[in-house]
Every structure is written in C-alpha cells, then in structure tokens.
Amino acid sequence: MEDQRKTALYKIVLVVGNGFDIDLGLPTRYSDFLGSVYFKRHIFDMKIKDIKEWNERKKSGIRNPTIRDWFGIDLFDLLEIKRGLTNWVDIERELALVASLSDKKEPFETLAVSESSYFELQKALCEYIKSLSFSGLREDSVAFKLVKALNAIPKLVEVLSYNYTDWDVMFPQNKFWVDYIHGCVKDDSIILGIQDDLDIQSQYCYMIKTFSEHFHSHRVMQKLMDANEVIFFGHSLGETDYHYFETFFRRQTHEEYANKDQIIRIFTYDEKSRREILMRLREMNNKRTDYLYGLCDFEVYRTSQDEDLINRYIENIAPKAISRMNEPILRSVWEHRF
C-alpha cells in the first residue's frame, strides 16, 4: 500500500517564509521584535550619538577603553546601534557580517561578540513570538485562503516552514504535516544564524545553522524534486536560505533534467519583491529565468495586485490535484483515505 501511495498521490509542497505570517497580520518582522520589550530589556543604556563619537575616536586612533574593548560587545547592543544608524536591521545578515572575514564593517562590528548573548538573543526572539496573539488572523488574507483550500486535500500536502510560529496554534483545524526547517517555538528549538558556505572567523562557528543542536535532516531538496506542485509563499529565496533551493531551480532550468510536468507558484507581496525574487532566481540559474517559464508551469503572484489570478488558482488547487492523481490506483487510495 505504501508503494501505491507513492505512485498514486499527487504531492504538493508548500514552502512558507516570514511573508506568509505577515500576510496573516502577524507582527513577525525583525523590526517588530527589536521594538519589543523582549529585546529592549537586554539593552544597556547607551545612546547612538555616544556610539558615533566612540567610533570616530577609534577611527582616528584615539583610545578610550571601555568594558566593550576588553570583553566584546553584547549582540543586543550591537543590533540596537545598527538600528539607530540605519533605521533597519536584518538580524541574520548582521550575524553574517559580524562573523565574516569581511573588512567592510563598522568599527563596532569588529568587536568580539559575546557567545552567551547569541543564545540569549534566540531565547528572547522565541519568547517574543510565543507572546503573540493568534486569535485575530486575517481570514481575508491570501495566506489564510490558501491554507483553507489545501485543508480539503490534507493527505496530499506537506508544509516546509522557515518560520518559528506554531501551526497548531495558528490553525487549530490544520490537518496536514508541517516540517519546521529552522525549529519552532513550541519546543524552544528555533535556529537563528548564518549559512554554511560563508567564510567566517572560527570562533563564531556556533552561529552556523547546521551547527545548532536543534538542526536535523529535512530532505528539503528531495521533497521539492519529488513534488508535483511546489508553492513558495512569503519566502524571499534570499542568501541565508538559497542553498536549500538552488539545486531544485537549477534542475528546472536544465533542458534535459527538468520535470516538465511540475507546477511552481511563488507568492510575494508586490512588484518590487517580484523583481527581487526573479533576480535571485536569475543568479541561481545562469541568468536563464526564461527556462523556468519554458520548461515547467511557473508563475509569480503578487498578493497586493493579482487578486483575480490568485483567487482562480486557489479555487482550482484541490480539484486539480484530485483530477491529476494516477488512475486506477487513485480510487482505492483516495476513497479509503488511508
């Protein structure tokens, strides 16, 4: 029976990033966390103008040692300084910059970072997400409508979540399997960090995601390869996670190896983010994004603009999946529902 399921069932893989939670109305941006009490209670009372003055003194060679010169800088302070200077911070990119061998750093980014503050940062982020209310999810959002449609065919769906939020809390009626690639708040297993292929200073190896005690195999590439339909929702396909998807997209732009029956849909917010995603795909695929359109059924939807196209896709997703399952094994497997 297990072999029959593998050949008969239509497989849909839903890959979700933070844009999915944001579409549901959740305050899960890094900026939301950095503005919360869960972050701010860890910050020393330091003002940005004092930091700027300290940086200028250091650049000019004037030494005025502080406790940070001798013991390094706390990650909470470093992120607050960066936020004050730029008004925007991507925590994982900042971790990558601190750990890297790059010489393109602000003076405060060259200070040794306290290892204990890294784990405290993960803990604080976990506590912040746990504190969120999930009672007011936007039921008119594209994300909510998509989940509702997929729940009509739960045995055909697997979710690969790159978020930390707990689907059992967000969607109490959820029926399909969710695999948390970077951990989940429900068991305090979240993984905040940097990608493997980055050249870093060895003392920061604890920041590498695969070095986390919570990291384990998820067979992401194989699941994407084997799926009949892959849906990306709110994932930027950015540099910290692109290694999960590069092989998959490279295959789909290869004339000989591409699965020409595969359906790929990407949900993003607007035209700006659509172009950013296409540029990342272009980088992954030797500048041949046209092959994605030519070798499989590929579309990018903007949740802020493509309402009619999106509604049509969501309405048809379950009926289409059922109709595409193999016959005659289909009737035996589907009608008995295991």
Side-chain angles (χ1 to χ4, degrees), residues 30 90-100 118 162 182 191-201 204-212 215 237-246:
Y30 283 140
D90 181 320
I91 294 178
E92 290 192 327
R93 284 186 184 178
E94 190 61 28
L95 292 178
L97 184 60
V98 167
S100 76
Y118 165 77
Y162 285 80
H182 293 155
I191 303 170
L192 181 70
I194 59 181
Q195 64 269 33
D196 278 82
D197 62 354
L198 190 68
D199 290 327
I200 65 166
Q201 302 170 67
Y204 295 124
C205 65
Y206 59 84
M207 291 185 183
I208 300 174
K209 289 178 180 178
T210 55
F211 280 39
S212 169
F215 191 90
L237 308 180
E239 58 186 13
T240 57
D241 290 325
Y242 86 95
H243 57 282
Y244 288 106
F245 314 119
E246 184 177 25

Side-chain angles (χ1 to χ4, degrees), residues 81-132:
I81 294 167
K82 189 63 176 278
R83 186 166 72 123
L85 294 174
T86 65
N87 202 34
W88 182 85
V89 178
D90 181 320
I91 294 178
E92 290 192 327
R93 284 186 184 178
E94 190 61 28
L95 292 178
L97 184 60
V98 167
S100 76
L101 300 173
S102 171
D103 56 2
K104 296 179 180 179
K105 302 180 183 182
E106 295 288 346
F108 64 85
E109 292 169 328
T110 65
L111 295 172
V113 165
S114 162
E115 181 174 342
S116 61
S117 70
Y118 165 77
F119 292 103
E120 282 297 317
L121 182 67
Q122 280 193 146
K123 182 179 178 181
L125 179 57
C126 189
E127 290 173 347
Y128 170 71
I129 295 172
K130 282 183 177 180
S131 75
L132 300 179

Side-chain angles (χ1 to χ4, degrees), residues 275-317:
R275 292 178 184 177
E276 289 171 349
I277 285 173
L278 289 174
M279 282 301 296
R280 292 187 187 107
L281 290 174
R282 188 172 186 267
E283 292 166 6
M284 287 185 206
N285 298 293
N286 298 317
K287 303 177 182 176
R288 295 311 302 262
T289 50
D290 57 318
Y291 278 8
L292 278 173
Y293 289 97
L295 295 175
C296 65
D297 185 350
F298 176 80
E299 293 290 346
V300 181
Y301 295 142
R302 301 161 296 182
T303 58
S304 64
Q305 297 175 241
D306 300 325
E307 183 177 359
D308 291 341
L309 286 172
I310 290 171
N311 286 339
R312 195 177 311 126
Y313 171 74
I314 291 176
E315 288 170 5
N316 292 327
I317 192 168

Side-chain angles (χ1 to χ4, degrees), residues 139-186:
E139 296 189 14
D140 62 341
S141 66
V142 175
F144 195 94
K145 292 176 182 177
L146 180 62
V147 170
K148 185 177 180 180
L150 291 174
N151 261 312
I153 47 172
K155 297 297 184 181
L156 310 186
V157 180
E158 180 172 2
V159 176
L160 303 180
S161 177
Y162 285 80
N163 301 334
Y164 307 127
T165 42
D166 183 356
W167 274 56
D168 291 335
V169 176
M170 288 199 297
F171 305 107
Q173 305 304 316
N174 176 57
K175 301 173 185 176
F176 39 76
W177 176 257
V178 180
D179 198 358
Y180 299 97
I181 309 303
H182 293 155
C184 181
V185 297
K186 66 180 171 183

Side-chain angles (χ1 to χ4, degrees), residues 32 55 72 99 118 170 201 203 221 234 252 256 273 280 308 335 337:
D32 296 315
N55 280 334
Y118 165 77
M170 288 199 297
Q201 302 170 67
Q203 69 264 32
M221 282 186 279
Q252 288 306 106
E256 183 177 353
S273 59
R280 292 187 187 107
D308 291 341
E335 289 173 2
R337 310 287 175 92

